[in-house]
Each structure stands twice: as structure tokens, then as C-alpha cells.
Amino acid sequence: MPMELVVNSTSPPTVKFTEAGATGTLWADVDAYVVMPNATRTYVFTIAMIGHGKGSVGFSYPNITGKVTSMSVDMKLKQSDIGPFSLILIRPLVNIFIESGVIPNLNEIGKKGFPIPQMDGLTFINPVVSLGKDYIRLESDLKYTPTR
């Protein structure tokens, strides 16, 4: 029978910056349901997950960009309507999903980046992004071209 997984964030994610790069943590519960032949869902179990990631930050005009370099997940069985079971067989599958699905998708988003605010007529020249304790610094020469 098919299964349906519902992922819910249980706390706001955190992101920290240091000179070495960016780290992030997110907390989520994954509820598993079996989809019955009549299309109803039957609850099976909930797994609590804590995801940890590391990455880098860059600049590609006019966007701040990012790249995830590693991720790991801690899991524990939170609740089960089928009795207790070990997650030892699920962990390798989650790691494969992270390496082949999650990280590449996040890196596609990170490659596009997020736009920084701009003013008409100002252009960044030779921008450099650096990280420090809890901040991202963008240094650049500016070129101003008046607009009419």
C-alpha cells in the first residue's frame, strides 16, 4: 500500500555564521500514513528529526548565493500506532535521500541566490562576501550612473 509522509516544522530553524561558513539546524516531525484502497489515510507513526547543515555563502551580482556542503539528520521514534521499532534501517535511506535529493535541490536554490536591495544607478564593482560571527558582510566599490 502507498504511504504518505507529512513533514511539520516543530521549531523555527536557526542559521549561524562564522568565519568558517554557515551552519543551520531545523526541527521537524514526520508523520507517516498508509493510504488505504478507499483513499482514506491511516496514521502509522511519527519520527522526530533534527537536521544539521553546513555551507558557504557567496555573491553573484545582484544576489547573495549559497551552497550546502554537508547535512546530517538525527532521528528518533516519537509515537507509533504499530508498536516500537528501530530506525536503523531507515537511516541509510534518509542519508541517500539527503545526498541525492535534498542537497542538490537546496544548491539549485542557493545558486540562484537571493537579491540584495539595490538603488537605481548604483552598480557593485569587485564585490567580496565575507562571514563573521553572526553576520554576512558584503564589501564592494560602487559605480554611480545617474538616471533621468
Side-chain angles (χ1 to χ4, degrees), residues 2-58:
M3 291 190 73
E4 182 177 309
L5 301 176
V6 178
V7 180
N8 297 298
S9 176
T10 56
S11 292
T14 62
V15 177
K16 296 186 182 203
F17 300 102
T18 67
E19 292 81 7
T23 60
T25 303
L26 59 91
W27 294 263
D29 283 349
V30 178
D31 299 322
Y33 297 86
V34 172
V35 180
M36 305 305 282
N38 65 0
T40 60
R41 298 182 323 163
T42 301
Y43 172 80
V44 183
F45 58 81
T46 299
I47 296 174
M49 300 180 113
I50 302 174
H52 307 279
K54 293 182 181 181
S56 60
V57 177

Side-chain angles (χ1 to χ4, degrees), residues 30-103:
V30 178
D31 299 322
Y33 297 86
V34 172
V35 180
M36 305 305 282
N38 65 0
T40 60
R41 298 182 323 163
T42 301
Y43 172 80
V44 183
F45 58 81
T46 299
I47 296 174
M49 300 180 113
I50 302 174
H52 307 279
K54 293 182 181 181
S56 60
V57 177
F59 185 76
S60 178
Y61 188 76
N63 296 334
I64 296 284
T65 60
K67 181 174 182 172
V68 176
T69 55
S70 68
M71 285 184 75
S72 64
V73 175
D74 298 322
M75 300 184 301
K76 73 174 185 174
L77 184 63
K78 187 173 183 179
Q79 182 179 336
S80 174
D81 279 6
I82 59 172
F85 60 91
S86 172
L87 297 176
I88 197 162
L89 295 175
I90 295 174
R91 287 181 202 280
L93 296 174
V94 170
N95 289 335
I96 290 169
F97 177 69
I98 288 170
E99 291 295 323
S100 64
V102 175
I103 291 176

